[in-house]
Every structure is written in structure tokens, then in C-alpha cells.
Amino acid sequence: PASSSTGEMSSADADADADALTSASASASVPSPKSSPSKIVLKTVRTVLPKAEPLPWCTFFSLSFKVAIPAAIYILAFTRMGFGIDCFYYLADRYSEYAPVVGIATVSFITVMYLFDFTEWQSRAGKVCRKATWWIFVGGITTLVLLLTGDYPYGPICLFAFLTPMYLVTVKNVFYSDVRTRTYVSWLSGPLFFISLLAGIVW
């Protein structure tokens, strides 16, 4: 009797194992919702295009105005839509001779500050001097490029492309310091597109 009961238990265990294997193979044959093509495509799109944060209308128009400032300055000063031709000839005829002086002064200044390890100044006054040094350096390079417009007329557009991100970072630090960087970057897409659309219409 003990052997017969043991045989029955063994057959029951074998049947249970067979049922488990059958159910496992059946579940494996059914595609998981997570691996469906639509889920994969949606995940890829979310990776490339991050989720846009909600932007209030007042913030949209305020940010659009701030974004438009460098674009308006460039269009008015360095394109034919504004006074670009006059500015180019004015800078080239009257101030191009000072370009070597500005270049030497800027390079000499940043070299001396580098020898004093200004990037390692951590005190309150040191941080102020460090920021002032960088601003003077950027101002010197900007002035140098503007003075060389007679020889390199594509300099202003390079300045525009280089300084605009710095300007947007400054706007974030001054006006939207309590906003997360990811949210601020998401907000910029609408105003930047709006200003570019307006510039295209005006052109």
C-alpha cells in the first residue's frame, strides 16, 4: 500500500509538472504588452522628444519677449532688414584699425589671470572676480569680432550663435531661478519657434 501511494504521488507530481510546463510555454508564446511594437515606438519617441511641461500664457509671452531681444538686435544691426550695411561699413572704416590692440589686450588679460589661477578663487570676492574675468574676456572677444567685420563679415552671425545660449542661461538664472532646468528648456521650444516664425514673416 505504501508503494502504491508513493506511485500515485509521483504520477500526481509528474502531471503537475507537465501542466506547469504547458502553461509556461503558452504564456511565452503570447506576446507581452510591454514588447509590442507600439510600446517600443512610443518609448523611442519619448526618449528622443522629452515630455513638454505646461507653459502658462503669461510666461509664454514674457519668455518670448526675452528670447526676441538678441534676435532683434542681430536683425537690426547686422542684416539688410535693419541697418546691417551701415553698421558693417561704419565698423570697417572707423574702428577696424583697433582690432589688433583689442586682441592683444584680451589675450594678455586672460593670460595674466590664468597665471594667478583665477579659476581656483573660492572666496566671495574671488567668485565675483572670477565671473567678472569671464565677462571681460567674452566682451573682449565680442569687440574683436565686431572690429573684424570688414575682413570677416560672417563674424556677427557666429557671435549670435555663440552668445544666444549664454544669454538664455542668464535669463534662466535671473528670472527663472526657481524653475528646474529641464522645465525651462522645455518651455523654450514654444517661444523660440514663435520668434523664428515672426522673423520669417517679417522677412
Side-chain angles (χ1 to χ4, degrees):
S3 61
S4 63
S5 61
T6 303
E8 291 176 358
M9 292 177 62
S10 300
S11 62
D13 293 339
D15 294 338
D17 293 340
D19 293 338
L21 290 173
T22 304
S23 61
S25 61
S27 61
S29 62
V30 177
S32 174
K34 295 182 179 180
S35 61
S36 61
S38 60
K39 293 284 186 178
I40 295 175
V41 172
L42 185 60
K43 184 178 180 180
T44 304
V45 171
R46 287 178 178 176
T47 303
V48 177
L49 301 176
K51 180 182 178 181
E53 300 291 339
L55 176 62
W57 283 107
C58 59
T59 306
F60 173 81
F61 287 111
S62 174
L63 191 55
S64 297
F65 175 77
K66 296 178 179 67
V67 167
I69 292 176
I73 293 175
Y74 174 76
I75 290 174
L76 289 175
F78 299 107
T79 66
R80 295 185 65 180
M81 293 171 59
F83 308 98
I85 296 178
D86 296 333
C87 287
F88 272 102
Y89 280 110
Y90 183 81
L91 291 172
D93 291 342
R94 298 198 176 189
Y95 298 103
S96 60
E97 59 185 279
Y98 299 106
V101 177
V102 174
I104 294 174
T106 302
V107 173
S108 301
F109 171 75
I110 199 65
T111 302
V112 171
M113 297 303 293
Y114 177 78
L115 292 176
F116 281 105
D117 291 330
F118 78 99
T119 57
E120 302 298 329
W121 297 350
Q122 299 300 328
S123 63
R124 179 177 298 180
K127 291 180 180 179
V128 173
C129 292
R130 186 173 58 189
K131 292 181 180 179
T133 299
W134 284 120
W135 279 111
I136 292 173
F137 176 70
V138 172
I141 294 298
T142 301
T143 305
L144 177 63
V145 172
L146 292 178
L147 294 179
L148 292 174
T149 52
D151 298 325
Y152 305 98
Y154 47 82
I157 194 171
C158 294
L159 277 179
F160 175 74
F162 176 73
L163 295 178
T164 298
M166 300 175 60
Y167 169 78
L168 294 177
V169 171
T170 304
V171 169
K172 196 271 180 190
N173 294 332
V174 174
F175 297 100
Y176 306 99
S177 58
D178 56 339
V179 179
R180 294 185 307 169
T181 303
R182 179 175 180 178
T183 303
Y184 176 73
V185 172
S186 176
W187 283 359
L188 285 176
S189 58
L192 287 173
F193 178 76
F194 177 66
I195 296 303
S196 62
L197 185 63
L198 284 181
I201 292 174
V202 173
W203 180 77

